[in-house]
Amino acid sequence: MNYLSIVGGQRLQGRVQISGAKNSALKLMAASLLGHGETVLTNVPRISDVFTMVEVLQRLGATVAFDGDVLRIDTSGEISTVAPYDLVRRMRASINVLGPLLARSGHARVAMPGGCNIGSRTIDMHEAGLTQLGVKFTFDHGYLEGIAERLLGKRVLLEFPSRGATENLMTAAVLAEGVTVIENAAREPDIIDLASFLNAMGAEVWGAGTSTIEITGVPRMHSTSYRVSADPIEAGTFALAVLTTGGEAELVGAQPETMEIFLEKLELAGAQWAPIEDGIRVSGDHRAHAVDFATLPYPGFPTDLQPQMMGYLITAEGTSIVTENVFENRFAHAQELVRMGADIRTEGHHAVIRGVRRLQGAPVKGSDLRAGAALVVAALAAEGQTEVHDFHHVERGYEDFAGKLRGLGASVELVEETTSLPV
Ligand code: UD1
């Protein structure tokens, strides 16, 4: 177990390379099961969630090689249809093998997922949608088992634009007979990445990035090569890390068109940003102004940047109101930020932040991936030393976070935990 030690107060500046998106890479890896040859993915981030998905694929029978940012997945051998609990519990995205396995083999037995502790996160919409395509589900001993003798295209209306449900429906429908229409589909950039990848494998997917996705089933698909898009959440996190120190940096590879509302909120907070040839430049040389924001599915403000945005706004001038609409339990970081001197009150899915001038470094605990990142953002602006414990959560989604921050001039060090924290 590691913790990140941060001495705040350094102004961050320079250039930082943004890695491939975690939430694209994981879906493309799962969807590689639809081919019968070697998939080559490039720009894959070296993060622990990707290593977990490598293990999931290997356990299913794929041969996987990961060299630098190039991931080769060979699915030409026999593929098992059972995704076991010891892997799935580590990462909710393991559920993304459900659609591909049902399409490829007509059977899937997948342990109910784990992942970040930010809400109940059921998979009822995945189940309901796939049932409409002809899958029969049973649930026993913590496992969901699906059998599909035949997958038939249908119109499926999602109750909420769930990313996971949209993805499992897409990856099942590509090999179904006839046309599937997904209404109220998720519109995130990783859905577009998945559709482009599936089409490169020979699928016929239209409308990804809009609320209606239409898929005409094809009899078989082939393996392909694909470059994973840049991670908008990593880019947003680095923007906030830089701005909270009054710094200036270029986020290389970041795509502003995938971060519009977030960048608008930065402007409202008084920061500057501009597109550059190979990314985005951000700068902010004075104290931020308070901003209200509410999380919503894309193109709304991403819930995955809500904690880090709070880490930035706690030192803003004025009062900010945050509304979390996607997860029912995503303010765990607030009490840790309060330990650093922030003034935050939470009530249900609202948080009120009264900006303070100064934060003080303290030992704190990141209880999930983005909560940990929020504490790092806050620590960069705090006086003295902060220790962000349970840092393995952050390593699930950020490649070489400490090294990249150091490259911008931050004083951070990854330390091996020798004693357990007092509770
Ligand atoms: C994905 C992202 C995650 C992000 C989330 C919301 C990946 C690997 N993870 O998670 O980083 O925080 O989108 O943008 O891409 N829900 C149900 N029933 C379902 C499915 C979802 O009630 O069958 C609820 C969830 O509990 C949650 C909301 O819908 O409250 C959003 O879930 P969803 O969009 O499915 O998120 P994930 O795909 O799990």
Side-chain angles (χ1 to χ4, degrees), residues 153-292:
K154 281 274 159 48
R155 173 179 178 270
V156 180
L157 172 61
L158 290 177
E159 195 180 319
F160 178 91
S162 152
R163 290 159 85 165
T166 303
E167 290 150 2
N168 265 329
L169 281 165
M170 286 166 74
T171 49
V174 283
L175 289 177
E177 288 169 42
V179 178
T180 299
V181 178
I182 309 170
E183 304 272 16
N184 199 21
R187 298 161 62 185
E188 271 77 4
D190 41 295
I191 301 284
I192 301 179
D193 241 8
L194 177 61
S196 309
F197 175 69
L198 293 171
N199 287 342
M201 293 176 84
E204 288 188 29
V205 182
W206 310 94
T210 75
S211 301
T212 305
I213 299 178
E214 194 173 308
I215 300 156
T216 303
V218 295
R220 56 183 290 119
M221 290 164 66
H222 51 81
S223 297
T224 190
S225 301
Y226 195 83
R227 182 179 167 83
V228 179
S229 304
D231 195 327
I233 305 302
E234 190 198 11
T237 305
F238 274 100
L240 294 167
V242 168
L243 293 172
T244 200
T245 70
E248 176 171 6
E250 293 180 352
L251 314 175
V252 180
Q255 295 174 303
E257 64 279 11
T258 62
M259 305 169 64
E260 280 187 76
I261 299 268
F262 170 75
L263 293 169
E264 258 178 46
K265 293 290 175 184
L266 290 189
E267 274 180 25
L268 288 172
Q272 288 91 46
W273 75 271
I276 53 172
E277 201 186 333
D278 56 357
I280 303 176
R281 177 187 297 116
V282 292
S283 61
D285 52 10
H286 55 266
R287 194 176 171 198
H289 310 304
V291 193
D292 297 343

Side-chain angles (χ1 to χ4, degrees), residues 310-330:
M310 278 178 66
Y312 171 56
L313 291 175
I314 50 179
T315 49
E317 196 170 350
T319 300
S320 307
I321 299 177
V322 181
T323 305
E324 171 56 56
N325 290 312
V326 180
F327 291 111
E328 72 264 34
N329 181 20
R330 201 169 201 176

Side-chain angles (χ1 to χ4, degrees), residues 22-23 26-27 92-93 121-126 160-165 188 190 303-304 326-328 330:
K22 163 176 102 69
N23 287 350
L26 295 174
K27 322 306 169 54
R92 178 176 165 91
R121 304 185 84 178
T122 58
I123 53 165
D124 53 327
M125 284 183 247
H126 302 233
F160 178 91
S162 152
R163 290 159 85 165
E188 271 77 4
D190 41 295
T303 176
D304 285 351
V326 180
F327 291 111
E328 72 264 34
R330 201 169 201 176

